[in-house]
Amino acid sequence: MSARVPLHKWLVLGGGLLAAAMVWLWPRPALPEGVAVEAHPLSLGPASRPALTIFSWWGCPHCRRAWERYGGRWVARAKAGEMRLVLRPLARGKAEGLASALLYCAPAEARWAMVGRLFEAARQGEDRLRAEFAPLLPCAASAATLRQTAADLEAARRWAVAYTPTLFEAGRRVEQGRMEEVMARWAGLPEEASPARREEGR
């Protein structure tokens, strides 16, 4: 004859099952948008570190100047493990689409040094890009690379990127008026050292 289980033990067991069901079924909060924008092959630095994510258009003069001012510092800090840098390149037209494809095809150790060259070459057109980066052209024309460049445009639509650069700082969209301050801070510069601050002080 089996022993009877005391009522209080049944209550404890039932309560535990109910709690487990609530945890499993309870609506989960939406992930911060940056968790999605940071999941990208053009990234540098530890995934465990906070990320600066940049949606950048090759034809955007503000993006080019931002990279000239801060890009080297971002790359150095990411290589040192101090931050994570994510670049999501956007293209309009064949030359800029080729620039994005070439960046994906570059060896990982050379990729980040190419960004400035690609800004300049994309301005000069497709022929310049083809001449300067000829060894990468077969990869740039591959179906896998073209799918990735198309995915960047889809991501810009999904995340409502209305201007460039658009920044996400540690998972949160940066307001347009704060971009210079944020870029300088992620470059490891004091706020007063940013170009915008120096111009205000004149």
Side-chain angles (χ1 to χ4, degrees):
M1 183 175 179
S2 60
R4 294 184 61 186
V5 178
L7 178 61
H8 70 277
K9 290 190 176 181
W10 281 115
L11 292 174
V12 169
L13 179 61
L17 291 173
L18 179 61
M22 289 180 66
V23 168
W24 180 257
L25 297 173
W26 197 264
R28 289 169 173 76
L31 293 172
E33 56 191 359
V35 171
V37 296
E38 291 167 11
H40 196 262
L42 294 178
S43 58
L44 182 66
S48 59
R49 301 296 294 170
L52 176 67
T53 302
I54 307 161
F55 281 84
S56 178
W57 167 43
W58 295 113
C60 162
H62 304 292
C63 303
R64 187 177 71 253
R65 284 196 296 270
W67 190 263
E68 289 170 353
R69 289 173 177 172
Y70 305 120
R73 288 178 173 270
W74 293 333
V75 169
R77 294 193 68 220
K79 285 183 175 179
E82 298 172 14
M83 62 177 278
R84 181 170 172 83
L85 174 63
V86 182
L87 179 62
R88 303 198 65 142
L90 303 178
R92 297 178 184 175
K94 287 183 67 176
E96 293 172 6
L98 178 57
S100 292
L102 291 166
L103 187 59
Y104 281 109
C105 291
E109 64 275 9
R111 184 175 289 160
W112 298 95
M114 276 179 56
V115 175
R117 290 168 60 197
L118 286 169
F119 269 117
E120 181 58 30
R123 284 179 22 174
Q124 298 183 35
E126 188 177 354
D127 289 343
R128 164 69 187 278
L129 286 164
R130 289 185 173 278
E132 187 168 346
F133 301 100
L136 300 176
L137 291 176
C139 170
S142 71
T145 303
L146 295 177
R147 280 195 299 270
Q148 185 61 65
T149 58
D152 287 325
L153 296 176
E154 170 57 23
R157 185 202 63 76
R158 187 184 325 124
W159 297 109
V161 173
Y163 52 82
T164 53
T166 289
L167 307 180
F168 289 82
E169 179 184 29
R172 300 294 181 189
R173 189 183 300 258
V174 176
E175 297 172 7
Q176 197 168 8
R178 293 185 56 241
M179 286 198 298
E180 191 74 36
E181 163 211 333
V182 168
M183 289 188 292
R185 177 157 36 80
W186 282 78
L189 296 171
E191 188 177 341
E192 61 271 13
S194 73
R197 283 293 185 181
R198 290 200 299 270
E199 289 171 11
E200 286 175 10
R202 289 178 184 173

